[in-house]
Amino acid sequence: MASSEKENGRGFLASLFRRGEPDVEIGGYQAGDLQEERPIHVLTGAAVAGNLAAPKVVVAGLVYGQIVTRQLRIEEGGQVWGDVHAQEVAVTDGGKVHGWLHTIDEDGYRQLHENGTVAVRTGDGEPEPPEDLLPAELAGPAVRRRTRRQGPV
């Protein structure tokens, strides 16, 4: 794994706006899911094969997987091949998303980040997670139990 932590102090003004919060920077190739409480930055030329969950995600390289975040910025040359669940999305010229874009609120972000699902209310008032937000291997056990095989066994 070619990731490193770097303090955001890229200058005095940057440090004021970012409050010195460390980014998880990914360079090179990384396989596997990453869930962080800190921002994730996929650097130019980097490739991630896995799902990312963080309050802020910046993609300048390639992500092949789903992203759950409050803020997503896809920079020039950045690509996301997978579904995005975000409160805010910015795609600069030359950035690409190949997948579904789901806008979520703060509660949806917290639930996805913590559990991999968003609870919805059924007619009887009981919360029930939807099946289609995250793959079964990332979603909670309730989603896995409800998944049915299609076609002949």
Side-chain angles (χ1 to χ4, degrees):
M1 170 166 76
S3 64
S4 64
E5 293 181 16
K6 181 177 178 183
E7 200 66 29
N8 277 337
R10 294 184 183 112
F12 178 69
L13 290 176
S15 66
L16 284 177
F17 288 111
R18 298 183 188 201
R19 292 175 241 149
E21 187 177 65
D23 281 359
V24 175
E25 291 188 339
I26 301 172
Y29 178 78
Q30 175 174 323
D33 298 337
L34 186 59
Q35 183 170 352
E36 286 288 333
E37 297 299 326
R38 303 170 296 164
I40 296 173
H41 190 147
V42 180
L43 302 173
T44 301
V48 176
N51 302 309
L52 301 178
K56 181 177 180 181
V57 177
V58 178
V59 178
L62 170 69
V63 174
Y64 187 79
Q66 296 192 48
I67 297 176
V68 175
T69 186
R70 288 184 178 111
Q71 289 182 293
L72 173 64
R73 187 174 79 230
I74 302 173
E75 298 180 340
E76 181 178 358
Q79 294 186 53
V80 176
W81 288 78
D83 294 346
V84 172
H85 307 271
Q87 288 178 305
E88 298 176 27
V89 177
V91 181
T92 61
D93 288 342
K96 296 180 181 168
V97 176
H98 305 277
W100 291 96
L101 175 61
H102 305 269
T103 55
I104 56 176
D105 60 12
E106 180 62 23
D107 288 336
Y109 167 76
R110 273 190 257 116
Q111 289 176 12
L112 277 170
H113 192 264
E114 293 170 11
N115 308 320
T117 62
V118 177
V120 294
R121 299 284 174 199
T122 61
D124 61 5
E126 289 297 314
E128 181 178 316
E131 294 183 35
D132 63 346
L133 287 180
L134 291 179
E137 63 270 11
L138 294 178
V143 172
R144 283 195 288 269
R145 281 195 310 270
R146 294 180 55 215
T147 303
R148 294 178 183 89
R149 294 181 74 105
Q150 300 293 322
V153 178

Coordinates of all heavy atoms in Angstrom, one line a residue, residues 45 92 98 112 149 153:
G45 N -2.2 9.8 -10.6 CA -1.4 8.6 -11.0 C -1.7 7.4 -10.0 O -1.3 6.3 -10.3
T92 N -14.4 18.8 -11.6 CA -13.7 19.8 -12.4 C -13.7 19.3 -13.9 O -13.9 18.2 -14.2 CB -12.3 20.1 -12.0 OG1 -11.6 18.9 -12.0 CG2 -12.3 20.7 -10.5
H98 N -18.2 7.4 -13.5 CA -18.8 6.3 -14.2 C -19.6 5.5 -13.2 O -19.1 4.5 -12.7 CB -17.8 5.4 -14.9 CG -16.8 6.2 -15.8 ND1 -17.2 6.5 -17.1 CD2 -15.6 6.7 -15.5 CE1 -16.1 7.2 -17.6 NE2 -15.2 7.3 -16.7
L112 N -24.5 5.6 6.5 CA -23.7 4.8 5.5 C -22.3 4.7 6.0 O -21.7 3.6 5.9 CB -23.7 5.6 4.2 CG -24.9 5.3 3.3 CD1 -24.9 6.3 2.1 CD2 -24.9 3.9 2.8
R149 N -31.3 -15.3 -4.2 CA -30.7 -15.7 -5.5 C -31.7 -15.5 -6.6 O -32.9 -15.8 -6.4 CB -30.2 -17.1 -5.4 CG -29.1 -17.3 -4.4 CD -28.7 -18.8 -4.4 NE -28.0 -19.1 -5.6 CZ -26.6 -19.2 -5.7 NH1 -25.9 -19.1 -4.6 NH2 -26.1 -19.5 -6.8
V153 N -31.2 -22.6 -9.1 CA -30.1 -22.9 -8.2 C -29.2 -24.0 -8.7 O -29.6 -25.0 -9.2 CB -30.6 -23.2 -6.8 CG1 -29.4 -23.5 -5.9 CG2 -31.4 -22.0 -6.3

